[in-house]
Amino acid sequence: MALMITDDCINCDVCEPECPNDAIYQGELIYEIDPNRCTECVGHFGEPQCVEICPVDCIPKNPDHEESQAELMEKYAKLQSG
Ligand code: SF4
Ligand code: SF4
């Protein structure tokens, strides 16, 4: 599953540069995650880097984007190939 940022986000800016897939961007009010680019860090790291660093724990799984590990790996491969 891709992850998502809830409205508990305090716009602290620390997650955006940590994302290896450039999936995190500043939205209108809070930071947002592009589900087409988030692989839960599969392919890059063992743990989601944004979740590890977020001080307010506001990055759950996105229930609208259910994906298996294999699908996340496929997304990673596609992103790598440009
Ligand atoms: S889980 Fe990884 S790929 Fe997804 S938004 Fe967070 S840092 Fe980016
Ligand atoms: S680390 Fe958490 S609180 Fe900070 S900008 Fe990212 S989602 Fe928002």
Side-chain angles (χ1 to χ4, degrees):
M1 284 199 219
L3 303 189
M4 60 179 282
I5 294 173
T6 72
D7 57 13
D8 287 336
C9 172
I10 56 168
N11 289 317
C12 73
D13 308 328
V14 298
C15 58
E16 191 263 333
E18 296 299 320
C19 179
N21 292 324
D22 291 330
I24 303 176
Y25 60 96
Q26 173 83 71
E28 214 168 294
L29 296 172
I30 54 171
Y31 275 83
E32 296 181 28
I33 292 176
D34 178 351
N36 296 317
R37 298 192 67 88
C38 175
T39 64
E40 284 189 47
C41 284
V42 166
H44 291 283
F45 299 103
E47 296 296 327
Q49 299 299 287
C50 55
V51 174
E52 297 259 290
I53 205 164
C54 179
V56 296
D57 201 17
C58 68
I59 315 182
K61 288 177 188 282
N62 187 333
D64 293 335
H65 291 274
E66 279 206 42
E67 292 159 300
S68 65
Q69 285 296 111
E71 285 169 326
L72 291 171
M73 191 48 107
E74 205 175 295
K75 193 195 291 187
Y76 161 76
K78 271 199 194 124
L79 288 168
Q80 290 306 107
S81 65

